[in-house]
Amino acid sequence: MQLQTTDEKPAYWKSAVSRVTDEKVYVRGYDLEDLIGEISFTAATFLLIRGRVPSPEEARALDAVLSGVLDYALEKPGTVAARYVVSANPSMAIGMSAACMAVGKHTLATEDTGRFILAAHQEYLESGLPLKEFAGGKVDRMRQAKERIPGLGHPVFKKVDPRGALLRQIAVEGGLWSEAAETYEALHHAFTQLPGKADIPINDVGVMAAVMLSLGFSPEEGTGIAILSTLPGVIAHVSEELTGGKPIRVVPREGVKYTANTDGDFAADMARAGWGDKGSEGPMGSSGSEL
Amino acid sequence: MQLQTTDEKPAYWKSAVSRVTDEKVYVRGYDLEDLIGEISFTAATFLLIRGRVPSPEEARALDAVLSGVLDYALEKPGTVAARYVVSANPSMAIGMSAACMAVGKHTLATEDTGRFILAAHQEYLESGLPLKEFAGGKVDRMRQAKERIPGLGHPVFKKVDPRGALLRQIAVEGGLWSEAAETYEALHHAFTQLPGKADIPINDVGVMAAVMLSLGFSPEEGTGIAILSTLPGVIAHVSEELTGGKPIRVVPREGVKYTANTDGDFAADMARAGWGDKGSEGPMGSSGSEL
Amino acid sequence: MQLQTTDEKPAYWKSAVSRVTDEKVYVRGYDLEDLIGEISFTAATFLLIRGRVPSPEEARALDAVLSGVLDYALEKPGTVAARYVVSANPSMAIGMSAACMAVGKHTLATEDTGRFILAAHQEYLESGLPLKEFAGGKVDRMRQAKERIPGLGHPVFKKVDPRGALLRQIAVEGGLWSEAAETYEALHHAFTQLPGKADIPINDVGVMAAVMLSLGFSPEEGTGIAILSTLPGVIAHVSEELTGGKPIRVVPREGVKYTANTDGDFAADMARAGWGDKGSEGPMGSSGSEL
Amino acid sequence: MQLQTTDEKPAYWKSAVSRVTDEKVYVRGYDLEDLIGEISFTAATFLLIRGRVPSPEEARALDAVLSGVLDYALEKPGTVAARYVVSANPSMAIGMSAACMAVGKHTLATEDTGRFILAAHQEYLESGLPLKEFAGGKVDRMRQAKERIPGLGHPVFKKVDPRGALLRQIAVEGGLWSEAAETYEALHHAFTQLPGKADIPINDVGVMAAVMLSLGFSPEEGTGIAILSTLPGVIAHVSEELTGGKPIRVVPREGVKYTANTDGDFAADMARAGWGDKGSEGPMGSSGSEL
């Protein structure tokens, strides 16, 4: 059943996520009252973004992705930014807002990896080649073009990243390791055949990206889920800052090298720059003729 | 076991949420690798914020709270703001950031209710009175002071808010309906004795606030959890906007009454305001003597 | 002349700031083309917010307010937050956004002072008392109530804050020291009569608040202007970070005391918390009976 | 004179923008007290970002750039987002923050144009060709590659964009029309020689980008200045919303086409998705064996 919407001329907005009536809230077609207490937050997250209820395996894999990072102490810029912000403006909402905005070019690893996997898999499908052969050729072409495969390598782990391996296993057990993910693994395998690369594993970010694609999330939605997974930690840090932190945090002076001089001669430099004497011809001319 | 930290002089920062070493990430004392695939995101959220693992009942109650709102279509300012923002700056992270910042004075219902419940319960404990008697007196005092009890009443539901009732039942089943929550209910009961108030229920926000306090979250942490519960919906809306939306959204002109005139005489008004002729004495005097 | 707007039923939005037609942009009633090159940014700021062109004296006083702070190195939370944010998400816009949001309870000095001055002046007008007498009584009442007068005192300056004095002089010269500002000064004078308070000056924030009120800005608009005055510095810091900074800034470990343990036994603690063995009864029960 | 900074080991932070001592604030080397009342906000903006005082001509050109946009009613996403945000969280700071973040890919016109001009001018310098010849060849190459020249064309203006022309004239008068700007004009001229392109002007954004480069600002700094120029309008809109607006703004229902169904059968769909009966095997398995 479709509620009527007035749309003689096309409405400026369109949305399929939820709808609100005077008595009810419908989420992806379901009465919200039917969901409360009957669905885990993880399953609700899947429902809202994908538009359908997940299978138990999908919910489990998403739970594993959502607990893949959790927190990274004061070594994540967004967490630190959030604590600085709330030290001036003590608000949980604003702290979370600050943490979200500190995700971009230098931290969108899953999104970039997701885009790479999708594009490479598409290229494979169009190549008509056996996977192994495609992967070998693709890796060669990338090496010649000096392009890197995202999601490979780890500062500490050799051959296997235990967190990545765990995620992969959960996805495979759930039948959620897609063909695109297999293409990605084939590229990794071909990569490890290169001289000196034998030990380089797919890292946890690479596996997270592959699993989120297998769950049907777009790379952008994957970024949203990766951010979501870090917010309970942000809530904990902001709460810690609000209760035990310092109002008006600074960077302690001993941690900064200030290279600005302190002996500029402003009046002289302004004159040198062509400003007349103080007054109507001066930089405060906007004070007008009265001066 | 405590890892060493260099702190001859007290460190400027202090945190108990997590710690990162060269090989490991520890979250509230646990090796992150032990958590992946072994904990639901809801339980991980409890662990990060409260600092300990939840009981199954606590996880269930938190799941119920986290699925209590989910989404509110284009009738929540933060969701609309997020869609406007990403129509100009297409970024999932920034859309989520915008949605978070649209939570404050007019929408912090759970936080205000939580503060009220904590304060009222404290007052009750100090009163030494039987709960029923305290509640009656408190409601009288509030009515005389024209103060309102937050979390009561609903535009549609009479006597019972079904979503609130569901949440409460789950908390009670789990043994998670705290004394503070009972004090709140006693106040509500006394309130319904007032003329014309018999039908007014505790609404879902009131119950959410009571349950989050019962789970040991501070009012500020409760706000964080309430925001968290809305973010999967925000991810869905931002994804919808990024794929099917309009770049550079505006407010369609027919929806705005512009009351600005269009016939101001700038030069005349500037002269009237005391500015000399264009030139050194004028508002652009900052262009200096050359003019 | 008023352009037509379709509004059989009242429009949902209403605005007097500007209007856009197919050919023109009108700002507070003036054709934007008439303004370009004919108005300083400071005068344009006054025009946009106050809705009329400023006098030369008003523009000069606003210029003085706008150059009253400018920058505060890495000792302002918003600047530091902005640099952390762009170290992850390299964007000028987002850095400025982060700096703006770090203004609130602990930093809204001009807004609080502005509200205090407005309220105190209103109280004076209603008192019917001579100013000196009102001020003495008000200060006594505040002292007994242990309330503080905002905008007084400075860690370094005694008797006079040179920056505040400069601002005040410019306002007075321009005939822009309002009666409300005089009431504030009278309160300050009465305050200095208290034992041990003789040396305490009105600080620059206090004078800024008084001048902005005298210019007709609301306390909230005053906050906006105070934020505006800091943004060129933020642009400079963000540019410095984007060009010479570090990607993915952290808090160096030696600056943090991590108090989290590293030896939690997750499986044991979960069992103790009441979770059954791994599997259908466990925290990952959301993986369902299949496990 | 250089104040000492402790840096046996290199400091984690480095900044040349300003420095704060116990008695003084130095901005780009100048004592802040020397600036107040002696410098327009526009000149201070130049000083902070460029690190030196501007000439009167530079200040005038920057004033012209800063008053080139000013406001765009409710047809700029950031302004609308800011009003939605403060309708829920009434804060001037947060409204300004929201407006800043709504600047990105679809609105960074000056930044993209600035980058294009810098790159094209570099290419010209390296070409060793006469400018006219280089421009003709470059435009041909771009047309074949189906690349567009940013900053050209206007929905209304033919041949000349009056605002752009005004800006250009002010820059030229001030001797601030750089060689890079001339290269850009040469490209525009070559472009107008193409069939059907004779009428296409450089628009105001194109000229703004060229002038900001001529003033020595990087493309990113240019974006910061463009954002700065819009914030007085944002302050006006936020103030309008805080005083005369609606708390909790929504999108009126008649403006939205909701395509979500309202008749989903949650229990049936969950069963179909593979979830067992409610209880330990169900989606709320996180409630554990007790159920």
Side-chain angles (χ1 to χ4, degrees):
Chain A
M1 181 263 299
Q2 262 285 349
L3 292 194
Q4 267 319 93
T5 321
T6 55
D7 47 353
E8 314 74 21
K9 72 168 170 50
Y12 185 70
W13 291 93
K14 193 155 173 281
S15 181
V17 179
S18 71
R19 73 191 306 160
V20 178
T21 70
D22 293 343
E23 293 80 22
K24 292 281 193 184
V25 176
Y26 298 93
V27 172
R28 291 298 189 183
Y30 300 115
D31 183 336
L32 180 56
E33 284 170 48
D34 295 343
L35 270 51
I36 298 172
E38 298 302 319
I39 188 166
S40 70
F41 183 55
T42 299
T45 298
F46 188 101
L47 169 63
L48 270 156
I49 302 174
R50 294 279 285 108
R52 65 165 176 82
V53 294
S55 69
E57 297 73 20
E58 289 169 323
R60 177 166 201 236
L62 182 53
D63 257 326
V65 167
L66 283 168
S67 55
V69 180
L70 292 183
D71 198 54
Y72 210 69
L74 296 182
E75 307 192 9
K76 196 152 65 62
T79 304
V80 184
R83 294 187 71 145
Y84 271 99
V85 164
V86 300
S87 81
N89 184 5
S91 156
M92 177 60 71
I94 301 309
M96 293 170 77
S97 181
C100 290
M101 67 168 55
V103 172
K105 187 174 160 208
H106 295 162
T107 54
L108 276 182
T110 62
E111 188 165 329
D112 298 341
T113 308
R115 289 216 181 80
F116 169 80
I117 296 174
L118 284 179
H121 185 58
Q122 189 57 35
E123 197 181 332
Y124 158 60
L125 294 177
E126 291 163 0
S127 72
L129 295 170
L131 180 53
K132 198 162 186 302
E133 188 178 337
F134 165 78
K138 171 77 174 171
V139 166
D140 282 344
R141 290 194 299 280
M142 290 184 71
R143 190 184 40 170
Q144 275 145 38
K146 296 196 165 6
E147 296 167 0
R148 47 179 292 286
I149 301 178
L152 303 191
H154 191 285
V156 173
F157 303 121
K158 301 293 156 225
K159 289 209 186 303
V160 174
D161 176 331
R163 280 156 55 187
L166 219 46
L167 268 173
R168 181 189 181 285
Q169 182 199 334
I170 290 164
V172 169
E173 281 173 10
L176 295 164
W177 193 247
S178 63
E179 287 184 7
E182 279 168 0
T183 301
Y184 183 50
E185 273 191 308
L187 290 167
H188 169 247
H189 180 76
F191 178 77
T192 57
Q193 307 308 303
L194 298 177
K197 306 297 189 188
D199 283 356
I200 294 183
I202 300 183
N203 59 38
D204 54 343
V205 169
V207 178
M208 274 177 77
V211 172
M212 289 196 284
L213 288 180
S214 302
L215 289 169
F217 297 111
S218 71
E220 294 74 17
E221 290 165 345
T223 297
I225 288 164
I227 292 171
L228 187 70
S229 75
T230 66
L231 288 175
V234 170
I235 295 170
H237 278 283
V238 169
S239 183
E240 197 172 56
E241 186 69 28
L242 292 177
T243 51
K246 305 185 195 308
I248 312 292
R249 278 206 186 263
V250 302
V251 176
R253 281 185 200 173
E254 64 270 22
V256 189
K257 178 170 178 54
Y258 285 110
T259 59
N261 293 340
T262 57
D263 57 357
D265 181 337
F266 179 67
D269 290 349
M270 287 297 277
R272 221 174 283 118
W275 298 92
D277 302 337
K278 184 175 184 319
S280 65
E281 300 173 349
M284 288 306 304
S286 64
S287 56
S289 52
E290 287 64 16
L291 287 194
Chain B
M1 180 266 299
Q2 264 286 348
L3 291 195
Q4 267 320 94
T5 324
T6 55
D7 48 352
E8 314 73 21
K9 70 169 171 54
Y12 184 70
W13 291 92
K14 194 155 172 281
S15 180
V17 179
S18 70
R19 74 192 307 160
V20 178
T21 70
D22 294 342
E23 294 80 23
K24 292 281 192 183
V25 176
Y26 298 95
V27 171
R28 291 296 189 182
Y30 301 113
D31 183 336
L32 180 56
E33 285 171 47
D34 295 343
L35 271 51
I36 298 172
E38 299 301 320
I39 188 167
S40 69
F41 184 54
T42 299
T45 298
F46 188 101
L47 169 63
L48 270 157
I49 303 174
R50 295 278 286 107
R52 64 164 176 83
V53 295
S55 70
E57 297 74 20
E58 289 169 323
R60 177 165 201 237
L62 182 53
D63 258 325
V65 167
L66 284 168
S67 55
V69 181
L70 292 184
D71 198 54
Y72 209 70
L74 296 182
E75 306 191 10
K76 196 152 64 62
T79 303
V80 184
R83 293 186 73 142
Y84 271 99
V85 164
V86 301
S87 80
N89 184 4
S91 156
M92 177 59 71
I94 301 309
M96 294 171 76
S97 181
C100 290
M101 67 168 55
V103 172
K105 187 174 161 210
H106 295 162
T107 54
L108 275 183
T110 62
E111 187 166 330
D112 299 341
T113 309
R115 289 216 181 81
F116 168 80
I117 296 174
L118 283 179
H121 185 58
Q122 189 56 36
E123 196 180 334
Y124 158 58
L125 293 177
E126 289 164 0
S127 72
L129 295 170
L131 180 51
K132 198 161 187 303
E133 187 178 338
F134 165 79
K138 172 76 175 172
V139 166
D140 282 343
R141 291 193 298 281
M142 290 184 72
R143 188 183 41 170
Q144 276 144 36
K146 297 192 164 11
E147 294 167 1
R148 49 179 290 285
I149 302 178
L152 302 191
H154 191 284
V156 173
F157 303 122
K158 301 291 156 226
K159 289 210 186 304
V160 174
D161 175 332
R163 279 155 56 187
L166 218 47
L167 269 173
R168 180 188 181 286
Q169 180 197 335
I170 289 164
V172 169
E173 280 173 13
L176 294 163
W177 193 249
S178 64
E179 288 184 4
E182 279 167 0
T183 300
Y184 183 50
E185 276 191 306
L187 289 167
H188 169 245
H189 181 76
F191 178 77
T192 57
Q193 307 308 303
L194 298 177
K197 306 297 189 188
D199 282 356
I200 295 182
I202 300 183
N203 59 39
D204 55 343
V205 169
V207 179
M208 274 177 77
V211 172
M212 288 197 284
L213 288 180
S214 301
L215 288 168
F217 296 111
S218 72
E220 293 76 16
E221 291 164 345
T223 297
I225 289 164
I227 292 171
L228 187 70
S229 74
T230 66
L231 288 175
V234 170
I235 295 170
H237 278 283
V238 169
S239 183
E240 198 173 55
E241 186 69 27
L242 292 177
T243 50
K246 305 185 193 310
I248 312 292
R249 279 206 186 265
V250 302
V251 177
R253 279 184 201 174
E254 63 269 21
V256 189
K257 177 171 178 53
Y258 284 109
T259 59
N261 293 338
T262 57
D263 57 357
D265 180 338
F266 179 67
D269 290 349
M270 286 297 275
R272 221 173 283 117
W275 297 92
D277 302 337
K278 185 171 183 318
S280 66
E281 299 171 350
M284 286 307 304
S286 65
S287 56
S289 53
E290 287 65 17
L291 290 190
Chain C
M1 180 264 300
Q2 264 285 351
L3 291 194
Q4 266 319 93
T5 321
T6 55
D7 47 353
E8 314 73 22
K9 70 170 172 50
Y12 184 71
W13 291 92
K14 193 155 174 280
S15 181
V17 179
S18 70
R19 74 191 305 161
V20 179
T21 69
D22 293 342
E23 294 79 22
K24 293 281 192 183
V25 176
Y26 298 94
V27 172
R28 291 296 189 184
Y30 300 115
D31 183 336
L32 181 56
E33 284 171 48
D34 294 344
L35 270 50
I36 296 172
E38 298 302 319
I39 188 166
S40 69
F41 183 54
T42 300
T45 298
F46 188 101
L47 169 63
L48 270 156
I49 302 174
R50 295 277 286 107
R52 64 164 177 84
V53 294
S55 70
E57 297 72 22
E58 289 169 325
R60 176 164 202 236
L62 182 53
D63 258 326
V65 167
L66 284 167
S67 56
V69 180
L70 293 183
D71 198 55
Y72 209 69
L74 296 182
E75 306 191 9
K76 195 151 65 61
T79 305
V80 184
R83 294 187 72 144
Y84 270 100
V85 165
V86 301
S87 81
N89 184 5
S91 156
M92 177 60 71
I94 301 309
M96 294 170 76
S97 181
C100 291
M101 67 168 55
V103 171
K105 187 175 161 210
H106 295 162
T107 53
L108 276 182
T110 63
E111 188 167 328
D112 299 341
T113 309
R115 289 215 182 81
F116 169 80
I117 296 175
L118 284 180
H121 185 57
Q122 189 56 37
E123 195 180 334
Y124 158 60
L125 293 177
E126 290 163 1
S127 72
L129 295 171
L131 180 53
K132 198 162 186 305
E133 187 179 337
F134 165 79
K138 171 76 173 171
V139 167
D140 282 344
R141 290 193 300 280
M142 290 184 71
R143 190 183 41 170
Q144 274 145 37
K146 296 195 166 9
E147 296 167 359
R148 47 178 292 286
I149 302 177
L152 303 190
H154 190 284
V156 172
F157 303 122
K158 301 291 154 228
K159 288 210 187 304
V160 173
D161 176 331
R163 279 156 55 187
L166 219 46
L167 268 173
R168 179 187 181 287
Q169 180 198 334
I170 289 164
V172 169
E173 281 172 13
L176 294 164
W177 193 248
S178 63
E179 287 184 5
E182 279 167 359
T183 301
Y184 183 50
E185 274 191 307
L187 290 167
H188 169 247
H189 180 75
F191 179 77
T192 58
Q193 307 307 303
L194 298 177
K197 306 297 190 189
D199 282 358
I200 294 183
I202 300 183
N203 59 37
D204 55 342
V205 169
V207 178
M208 274 176 78
V211 172
M212 288 196 285
L213 288 180
S214 302
L215 289 169
F217 296 110
S218 71
E220 294 74 17
E221 290 165 346
T223 297
I225 289 164
I227 291 171
L228 187 71
S229 75
T230 66
L231 287 175
V234 170
I235 295 170
H237 279 283
V238 168
S239 184
E240 198 172 56
E241 186 69 28
L242 292 177
T243 51
K246 306 186 193 310
I248 312 293
R249 278 205 187 266
V250 302
V251 176
R253 280 185 201 175
E254 64 269 22
V256 188
K257 178 171 177 53
Y258 285 109
T259 59
N261 292 340
T262 57
D263 57 358
D265 180 339
F266 179 67
D269 291 348
M270 287 296 276
R272 221 174 283 116
W275 298 91
D277 301 337
K278 185 174 183 317
S280 65
E281 300 173 349
M284 287 306 304
S286 64
S287 56
S289 53
E290 287 66 14
L291 287 193
Chain D
M1 180 264 301
Q2 263 288 348
L3 292 195
Q4 268 318 95
T5 323
T6 55
D7 48 352
E8 313 74 23
K9 69 168 171 53
Y12 184 70
W13 291 92
K14 194 154 172 283
S15 181
V17 179
S18 71
R19 73 191 307 161
V20 178
T21 69
D22 294 341
E23 293 80 23
K24 293 281 193 183
V25 177
Y26 298 95
V27 172
R28 291 295 189 184
Y30 300 113
D31 183 337
L32 180 56
E33 285 171 47
D34 295 343
L35 271 50
I36 297 171
E38 299 301 320
I39 188 167
S40 68
F41 184 54
T42 300
T45 297
F46 188 101
L47 169 64
L48 269 157
I49 302 174
R50 295 277 287 107
R52 65 165 176 82
V53 294
S55 70
E57 297 73 21
E58 290 169 323
R60 177 164 201 236
L62 182 53
D63 259 325
V65 167
L66 284 167
S67 54
V69 181
L70 292 182
D71 199 55
Y72 209 68
L74 296 182
E75 306 191 10
K76 195 152 64 61
T79 304
V80 184
R83 294 186 72 144
Y84 272 99
V85 164
V86 301
S87 81
N89 184 5
S91 156
M92 177 60 71
I94 301 309
M96 294 170 76
S97 181
C100 291
M101 68 168 54
V103 172
K105 186 173 161 213
H106 295 162
T107 53
L108 275 182
T110 63
E111 189 166 329
D112 298 341
T113 309
R115 289 216 182 81
F116 169 79
I117 296 174
L118 284 180
H121 185 59
Q122 188 56 36
E123 196 179 332
Y124 158 60
L125 293 177
E126 289 163 2
S127 72
L129 296 170
L131 180 51
K132 196 161 186 305
E133 187 179 337
F134 165 78
K138 171 77 175 171
V139 167
D140 282 342
R141 290 194 299 280
M142 289 183 72
R143 189 183 41 168
Q144 275 144 37
K146 296 194 164 12
E147 295 167 359
R148 48 180 291 285
I149 302 178
L152 302 190
H154 191 283
V156 172
F157 302 122
K158 301 290 155 230
K159 287 209 186 309
V160 173
D161 175 332
R163 280 155 56 188
L166 217 48
L167 269 173
R168 181 188 181 285
Q169 180 198 336
I170 289 164
V172 170
E173 280 172 13
L176 294 164
W177 193 249
S178 63
E179 287 183 7
E182 279 167 0
T183 301
Y184 182 50
E185 275 191 306
L187 290 167
H188 169 246
H189 180 77
F191 178 77
T192 57
Q193 306 308 302
L194 298 177
K197 306 297 188 189
D199 282 357
I200 294 183
I202 299 183
N203 59 38
D204 56 341
V205 169
V207 179
M208 273 176 79
V211 173
M212 288 197 284
L213 288 180
S214 301
L215 289 169
F217 296 110
S218 71
E220 293 75 18
E221 290 164 346
T223 298
I225 288 164
I227 293 171
L228 188 70
S229 75
T230 65
L231 288 175
V234 170
I235 295 170
H237 278 283
V238 169
S239 184
E240 198 172 56
E241 185 70 27
L242 292 177
T243 51
K246 305 185 192 310
I248 312 292
R249 278 204 186 267
V250 302
V251 176
R253 279 184 201 175
E254 64 269 22
V256 188
K257 177 171 177 54
Y258 285 109
T259 59
N261 292 339
T262 57
D263 56 358
D265 181 339
F266 178 68
D269 291 348
M270 287 296 275
R272 220 173 284 116
W275 298 92
D277 302 337
K278 184 172 183 318
S280 67
E281 299 171 352
M284 287 307 305
S286 65
S287 56
S289 52
E290 287 66 15
L291 288 191

